[in-house]
Amino acid sequence: MPEIKVTPLGAGQDVGRSCILVSIAGKNVMLDCGMHMGYNDDRRFPDFSYITQNGRLTDFLDCVIISHFHLDHCGALPYFSEMVGYDGPIYMTHPTKAICPILLEDYRKITVDKKGETNFFTSQMIKDCMKKVVAVHLHQTVQVDEELEIKAYYAGHVLGAAMFQIKVGCESVVYTGDYNMTPDRHLGAAWIDKCRPDLLISESTYATTIRDSKRCRERDFLKKVHETVERGGKVLIPVFALGRAQELCILLETFWERMNLKAPIYFSTGLTEKANHYYKLFITWTNQKIRKTFVQRNMFEFKHIKAFDRAFADNPGPMVVFATPGMLHAGQSLQIFRKWAGNEKNMVIMPGYCVQGTVGHKILSGQRKLEMEGRQILEVKMQVEYMSFSAHADAKGIMQLIRQAEPRNVLLVHGEAKKMEFLKQKIEQEFHVSCYMPANGETTTILTNPCIPVDISLGLLKREAAIGPLPDAKKPKLMHGTLLMKDNSFRLVSPEQALKELGLAEHQLRFTCRVHIQDPRKEHETVLRVYNHLKGILKDYSVQHLPDGSITVESILIQATAHSEDQGTKVLLVSWTYQDEELGSYLTSLLKKGLPQST
Amino acid sequence: MAAHLKKRVYEEFTKVVQQQHEDLSTKKLRLTKPSKSAALHVDLCKATSPADALQYLLQFARKPVEVESVEGVVRILLEHYYKENDASVRLKIASLLGLLSKTAGFSPDCIMDDAINTLQNEKSHQVLAQLLDTLLVIGTKLPENPSVRMRLVEVACKHLTDSSHGVRNKCLQLIGCLGPVEKGVAKEAENQAAKDVQKIIGDHFNDQDPRVRTAAIKAMLQLHERGLKLHQAIYSQACKLLADDYEQVRSAAVQLIWVLSQLYPESIVPIPSSNEEIRLVDDAFGKICHMVSDGSWVVRVQAAKLLGSMQQVSSHFLEQTLDKKLMSDLRRKRTAHERAKELYSSGEFSSGRKWGDDAPKEEIDTGAVNLIESGACGAFVHGLEDEMYEVRIAAVEALCMLAQSSPSFAEKCLDFLVDMFNDEIEEVRLQSIHTMRKISNNITLREDQLDTVLAVLEDSSRDIREALHELLCCTNVSTKEGIHLALVELLKNLTKYPTDRESIWKCLKFLGSRHPTLVLPLVPELLSTHPFFDTPEPDMDDPAYIAVLVLIFNAAKSCPTMPALFSDHTFRHYAYLRDSLSHLVPPLRLPGRKLVSSAVSPSITPHEDPSQQFLHQSLERVYSFQHLDPQGIQELLEFTIRDLQRLGELQSELAGMADFTATYLQWQLLLIKALQEKLWNVAAPLYLKQNALASAASKQILEETYKMEFMYSGVESRQVVIIHHMRLQAKALQLIVTARTTRGVEPLFGMCEKFLQEVDSFQRCFISELPHMQGSFVDKLLDLMPRLVTSKPSEVVKILQTTLRQSTFLHLPLPEQLHRATANIIEPTGESDNPLRFTSGLVVALDVDATLEHVQDPQGTVKVQVLYPDGQAQLIHPKPADFRNPGPGRHRLITQVYLSHTAWTEPCQIEVRLLLAYNSNKSKASTRIPKSTWNESLEALPPSENGIEGTIPFSKPVKVYIMPKPARR
């Protein structure tokens, strides 16, 4: 039986370090190549030695696919391609290809320059790695080699995020990456056609959550910002440079526009400047509203949002500032926070989850006195708000995607084991498909039932299709022909042609059967009786009484002779060819029942 | 067959020749017709290759064919069809046959047999499909011939087994359009086609080609539209189609399900995988709800739209559509809406939220959570959050329709509608505000909801704000804090956007009169009165203060205890506002003060409005003036006109009526004045100067008549007669004046003749009304008509003069409703001192914003006029898209006017005004007259009379300060 094997090297019952190995019909594909935020040792990268102990990775992998630019999906790429060594193709969408190196470079800088790590990939390595990348468009079918093809679908989540369909012959796997089923202010919803893959590998970050409408969240967020600004307070929004930051910018920008507000909005520079540039470029990857209005005005050319300068933080009057990083653990956002924390008119809004130990986490859990470096105590008087703006599909969204794609099997990754368990049970219950959730390093094998294409000559097809009712795509149809397996190809041909091609002489197979009938009359009378009987029953067939005393039903021959011993018993000889087997056996059984009583 | 055809064709040719010999001159027109088919025949015979023939056919298709020659052409084409081997040419011929059968006046039954015959031997699928299409055209042209239809349906059924999807498609289409609808017919025709068409079509629901499946569903819908009652059995088939791979099939299937749910709402269907049963409409509703989260947005829009019209659905199903059970980490979570509600009911409103406020509470039983219900769960929640705004709008519309029929649902969907006020697309916001207004009778806003609603008041789009004001006009608020909040927000809006003044006042008027008891406790605070101290008197011209007063006075109308809280200056302000803003401030019964309306004795029945009565009384008085001396008449008229004008200002609902009458009386006054000129008695011709009054009067009267005819909506035919009559009199006056001032008789001849023609046409147009016009000018004139026609111009003038004087004043019947078209330019305000500077020769855009009331067809009639100081006038036609229609009888013009001029040395003012264009051709009278008479009179009348087009200014001009600078070099 053909099978698909899936082994997560990362993200199996876990979030972070996404890296999944898939072997399908003899092809090996690696899906994502991420790093783990939580570790600083070897565990931060997937264990590539699993793929091969000795020997080059290129020989074992046919291609690598990166779903989007988040570091937990692409962070290990330069390490993998340059330091471990991989020269095969790497596929990602255009925006991912554009933004990915910026993030990698930033990541490198933090690790090497700030933390002083050695034995890490270099800028040059990032560049070399990006040279191996092949960019793909949405819905473009890319032939990796003769048999393997991949196709990208829109996934929402972040700019350029894509779901990938990997197809070999008629076996296929869909990998979702991270996706979002509800549209937001700058991105659309994930969409896939009814591609009916053998396996759907889905993320399951929010496996046990059904989220509230995004409108309530947006409204709350805007109301809070608006109120604070009207009071003359300052609003600090710590964000990570890409993704949610743009979402919030668009949200505030349109709100400012709508409400005709004048308070300045600032965005701390750096990464974002560059990234915003790409957002402007890849307008086709955004949602309907932005796509439709960009001719008048590109939504990412912010009118109200200006670059931030360190000195602005001390300016009087209301303002809104987006500052990195998002968890208030270092950098500009922390500096501004320290300046503004003392005033109860000000507000800080945390738009995402904060890791334990960061200032963000502390203030969210209600701590009002913070100990800063140098024994300094910072009293937090400003308001602290939490607003979740996450772009993952919730349980309903995951189910919706499964419904759209109609897979035969589902495999969950990128989530916590306990939550996956629940979703797995739900999926099996609702869709009656089997669902898997392998841990890292654990291999799941899925048996497939691939269809085998067979060539058929048009003449034969038409001839066979003409028999019986109209062909129906949804019902299997019985056809007569000869299956020729030659040179690794299958062909269905008519028997005559098959004989000709194979150079074989045609043999005829005839069945002959004797039926004994008790009939005291003369032979020809018996024959006549049989003839009348058959004629009466088989109305649709041509039944003929030949002058030589035999009967033919279509091509079946019936002859009657008297039994050599018992004249009262007549022996009917029924003879038919192999092709007429059905009718022949029917006739025999009919005759065996005997003739009706003569009238 | 072909030989037979050929013979017929040649017969035709010979006929032509004969005609030629018989009568060349008279039948010339007819000659060309057979020759057309002949030319085609020649062309087609000439064609050497199929490509050539195709070219000829294409050329031929461009020219129209007369009805008489259609049959000949068809024969030629058919003949050629049989000979032709090339499929593309045959295809073109088949399509031409269809086109030709469409010719108006041509009955295609004669070519039907041939068309059916051609089908038999056709091999090409494309041509077959085209031929079936032709048959469809033929069939639709012969609606009253059931036997033909039966035959066509039979033919179609035969071809249903074709292997090409195109052919099957067309067959199904044909069956759908022509299949027998009545049961009786089916029984009569005892052939095979009498088989159940529904069954035939239903069999193709499972066709292998999605296009055919779609066609089958569409054919079914077509049958339904034609009045066939579909079988309920189709429902289960249709349900299966909802899971089709192709969006067009799903889209059509949704429609089919909807149709069936409307046909059999109460039937019971089983729920699969359980032994329960539900009503069909509920089941269908659930299924369509499911489609709101379909993969294709076309289907989603379709589904969302249809949901709105399923009003028979049970309420618990309906309410499920808004329910989406939230959970977090497997624990039940309350929605933000529920939390808001709870906060509100616990009395603790708007607490500063903490992190984890929305922390999940109770544990959920994992088995009980159903992630994808087949039911209606959360359909609207999904629809309203959809990516495509088309889906969101459809969902809002559906919500609106369902909420209108179910108050409990209205209450529930409120939260969601309020959320939609923050959509990123303005259209969606506007739509949801309108929706909310429509259902506002059923709902009361909670404070937190009101808060969200009011936040939108700061929107920079005027449409949104005004829609919101309209909404607030008819909203119910539950608490006095709510009223206060609304007032505060409205005042904030007023300071931010002062142009919204009128709309805000109006909004507060309704808010006050709806919630008198809630306003009462707020009065001291709002008026800032103090029990012990006198507070300073607020500024009377402050729009915000006026807004507060409007709220209070309207509340006081139904709250008699309120005036006791007023301070002295409030009473004074009341008197002032009652006078200056009478449409906003109601009459109040104030202690110690005589009410204006208190003068009316209470014996008058309330439904008879005293002002209406006044109007009629004054008119009656005027009509009886015959007995008075001329001076007295004039005075009476003048006073009445003054009264009417004042009445119009005070009573907005009577303004149209009063104005109309006043104009009429004004006209009478002018006529009397003009005729009373002493100069008439002088026998000698007059100087123009001496006659200034009369000629001016005649001109003015003429203008007034146009105003009366075109500026008022609701003018009935009785009024139109009188207006036309007035016009006739004005023209007579004009004629007299010209006769008296010009020397020589020649120009008078023409004028007299023209006038007499006008009288004639008047008589023809309004012949039915003449009996009502006893003793009028026309009546008398018609009596004298024989004399007039024969007499000289000078005689005519004399007769006219005497008749004018003797004619009685016609009683003007008033219509039920009469509204004067008015326009008010809101922007530009004309108050700016800063000139609009631009480089001369280039263009500057001036935003014009105006409200129009009671204008019919504003797109066609309203123009913008710009008058430059040098007398140059520019007329601008606004685009149809610039007009919006916020309410019945009201329009809003928001447009840009492009100005340009050569350089000026000083900034100067230009005038912008709105004009109402009219065309006497399209007068209301003409629509009433039967067409034939009008056509005759059209021929008789000189063209100048018919085409009088003019414009009436109907807004106050607004001055705009501009300054074209010379271009710098």
Side-chain angles (χ1 to χ4, degrees), chain B residues 879-893:
Chain B
K879 291 194 294 276
D882 290 339
F883 294 93
R884 289 139 202 236
N885 191 355
R890 286 190 300 145
H891 287 90
R892 181 87 179 277
L893 171 65

Side-chain angles (χ1 to χ4, degrees), chain A residues 203-214:
Chain A
E203 66 131 329
S204 53
T205 323
Y206 286 128
T208 54
T209 303
I210 300 176
R211 268 183 307 173
D212 200 356
S213 123
K214 59 159 184 164

Side-chain angles (χ1 to χ4, degrees), chain A residues 182-185 188-189 191 194 196 207-216 218-220 223-224 226 230 257-261 286-289 291-292 361 364-365 384-387 394-396 399-400 403-404 406 419 422-423 425-426 429-431 470-474, chain B residues 160-162 168 206 208 213 243-245 250 290 293-296 324-330 335-337 353 355 366-373 377 382 384-390 392 418-425 429 451-452 455-456 458-460 492 496-497:
Chain A
T182 47
D184 53 32
R185 289 281 170 151
W191 180 86
K194 253 187 209 178
R196 302 198 171 92
T208 54
T209 303
I210 300 176
R211 268 183 307 173
D212 200 356
S213 123
K214 59 159 184 164
R215 285 176 203 289
C216 296
E218 284 180 4
R219 201 186 57 212
D220 268 4
K223 204 172 131 192
K224 273 172 196 153
H226 190 188
E230 271 200 337
E257 186 103 2
R258 251 181 74 196
M259 297 303 182
N260 229 339
L261 297 179
T286 55
N287 70 6
Q288 186 197 21
K289 152 105 179 166
R291 260 179 307 166
K292 287 210 169 148
H361 187 264
L364 275 183
S365 44
V384 178
E385 293 288 349
Y386 172 74
M387 286 268 115
D394 63 0
K396 263 206 157 163
M399 300 299 266
Q400 207 179 330
R403 185 159 76 98
Q404 271 181 23
E406 293 187 6
K419 297 181 180 178
F422 163 77
L423 192 66
Q425 176 204 340
K426 284 288 146 195
Q429 187 183 326
E430 305 247 347
F431 297 105
L470 265 184
D472 189 334
K474 298 212 173 129
Chain B
L160 267 178
T161 48
D162 197 283
R168 274 178 284 155
N206 298 321
Q208 59 168 340
R213 291 200 291 274
D244 201 277
D245 281 9
R250 292 199 300 268
H290 203 51
S293 50
D294 191 85
S296 150
K324 183 182 171 188
K325 288 199 174 55
L326 299 191
M327 59 175 192
S328 165
D329 287 354
L330 286 178
T335 63
H337 292 145
R353 265 209 299 128
W355 186 39
T366 49
V369 182
N370 212 2
L371 286 179
I372 290 203
E373 279 99 333
C377 244
H382 286 293
L384 292 175
E385 269 185 38
D386 200 274
E387 181 184 1
M388 312 300 280
Y389 82 93
E390 291 91 341
R392 297 199 298 269
V418 170
D419 278 350
M420 293 308 284
F421 284 15
N422 285 320
D423 196 89
E424 67 240 56
I425 306 250
R429 295 202 293 269
D451 201 35
T452 323
V456 186
E458 286 189 46
D459 203 297
S460 57
K492 223 195 251 175
K496 203 163 178 181
Y497 306 99

Side-chain angles (χ1 to χ4, degrees), chain A residues 179-314:
Chain A
Y179 63 101
N180 189 7
M181 292 301 281
T182 47
D184 53 32
R185 289 281 170 151
H186 78 297
L187 294 170
W191 180 86
I192 197 164
D193 54 12
K194 253 187 209 178
C195 52
R196 302 198 171 92
D198 290 304
L199 175 66
L200 177 86
I201 305 175
S202 171
E203 66 131 329
S204 53
T205 323
Y206 286 128
T208 54
T209 303
I210 300 176
R211 268 183 307 173
D212 200 356
S213 123
K214 59 159 184 164
R215 285 176 203 289
C216 296
R217 280 185 316 237
E218 284 180 4
R219 201 186 57 212
D220 268 4
F221 172 77
L222 292 172
K223 204 172 131 192
K224 273 172 196 153
V225 174
H226 190 188
E227 274 171 4
T228 314
V229 166
E230 271 200 337
R231 270 203 309 266
K234 297 175 169 64
V235 182
L236 172 67
I237 307 170
V239 284
F240 285 106
L242 284 166
R244 292 303 88 197
Q246 277 71 23
E247 168 79 5
L248 293 174
C249 280
I250 292 264
L251 195 59
L252 277 189
E253 167 85 9
T254 40
F255 187 71
W256 248 239
E257 186 103 2
R258 251 181 74 196
M259 297 303 182
N260 229 339
L261 297 179
K262 294 284 175 277
I265 308 175
Y266 297 112
F267 207 133
S268 69
T269 45
L271 254 183
T272 323
E273 200 92 328
K274 255 192 234 164
N276 271 353
H277 180 64
Y278 288 113
Y279 273 79
K280 270 180 228 168
L281 274 178
F282 294 109
I283 218 78
T284 45
W285 286 80
T286 55
N287 70 6
Q288 186 197 21
K289 152 105 179 166
I290 298 176
R291 260 179 307 166
K292 287 210 169 148
T293 54
F294 89 99
V295 183
Q296 286 101 40
R297 190 181 149 216
N298 193 325
M299 285 291 275
F300 293 102
E301 268 160 32
F302 300 122
K303 229 190 244 170
H304 301 273
I305 302 176
K306 293 162 213 115
F308 184 70
D309 189 282
R310 224 164 267 264
F312 291 166
D314 296 323

Side-chain angles (χ1 to χ4, degrees), chain B residues 539-553:
Chain B
D539 178 14
M540 195 53 245
D541 290 329
D542 180 11
Y545 179 61
I546 295 178
V548 172
L549 285 186
V550 167
L551 175 77
I552 291 175
F553 290 148

Side-chain angles (χ1 to χ4, degrees), chain B residues 688-925:
Chain B
L688 197 60
K689 213 196 274 172
Q690 285 176 310
N691 213 1
L693 178 68
S695 67
S698 66
K699 222 176 255 167
Q700 201 185 338
I701 293 172
L702 212 56
E703 269 174 31
E704 298 281 331
T705 60
Y706 285 116
K707 269 193 199 170
M708 280 178 78
E709 187 173 353
F710 296 104
M711 262 179 70
Y712 294 88
S713 61
V715 177
E716 289 163 13
S717 59
R718 286 179 307 167
Q719 286 84 41
V720 175
V721 184
I722 291 185
I723 293 166
H724 276 254
H725 182 238
M726 280 163 67
R727 196 171 298 157
L728 212 56
Q729 276 170 290
K731 279 181 179 155
L733 185 65
Q734 227 170 5
L735 183 63
I736 299 165
V737 173
T738 357
R740 295 303 297 268
T741 46
T742 47
R743 283 162 205 283
V745 200
E746 287 79 24
L748 280 183
F749 271 120
M751 285 184 70
C752 280
E753 200 177 322
K754 210 173 119 187
F755 179 73
L756 289 177
Q757 273 170 356
E758 269 166 34
V759 176
D760 197 38
S761 69
F762 178 85
Q763 188 193 358
R764 263 187 290 173
C765 291
F766 301 106
I767 193 120
S768 57
E769 303 282 344
L770 282 178
H772 302 301
M773 306 177 74
Q774 294 295 333
S776 70
F777 173 66
V778 160
D779 195 39
K780 287 189 177 150
L781 212 57
L782 286 175
D783 287 342
L784 297 170
M785 205 56 184
R787 241 180 88 199
L788 282 173
V789 176
T790 51
S791 50
K792 282 181 196 164
S794 54
E795 284 286 301
V796 175
V797 172
K798 252 181 216 157
I799 296 171
L800 282 179
Q801 199 174 335
T802 45
T803 355
L804 261 185
R805 287 184 176 212
Q806 285 165 2
S807 59
T808 53
F809 183 38
L810 273 180
H811 196 293
L812 176 71
L814 281 178
E816 292 287 304
Q817 277 292 319
L818 199 57
H819 294 289
R820 188 192 154 122
T822 50
N824 187 18
I825 300 182
I826 303 169
E827 229 175 296
T829 48
E831 288 159 1
S832 170
D833 288 333
N834 293 333
L836 198 60
R837 289 175 195 277
F838 61 99
T839 307
S840 68
L842 296 185
V843 178
V844 69
L846 179 71
D847 287 310
V848 173
D849 182 351
T851 52
L852 315 171
E853 299 214 15
H854 307 297
V855 181
Q856 289 157 329
D857 179 32
Q859 281 92 336
T861 55
V862 176
K863 318 267 180 240
V864 183
Q865 191 187 35
V866 180
L867 271 175
Y868 292 96
D870 57 357
Q872 196 185 329
Q874 193 189 348
L875 203 64
I876 294 127
H877 303 244
K879 291 194 294 276
D882 290 339
F883 294 93
R884 289 139 202 236
N885 191 355
R890 286 190 300 145
H891 287 90
R892 181 87 179 277
L893 171 65
I894 299 174
T895 186
Q896 279 199 324
V897 171
Y898 298 114
L899 307 173
S900 185
H901 210 276
T902 47
W904 298 348
T905 51
E906 292 288 310
C908 214
Q909 280 174 329
I910 56 162
E911 274 187 16
V912 179
R913 71 169 90 189
L914 295 183
L915 300 181
L916 197 65
Y918 62 85
N919 184 347
S920 63
N921 241 350
K922 291 182 201 141
S923 75
K924 285 152 191 158

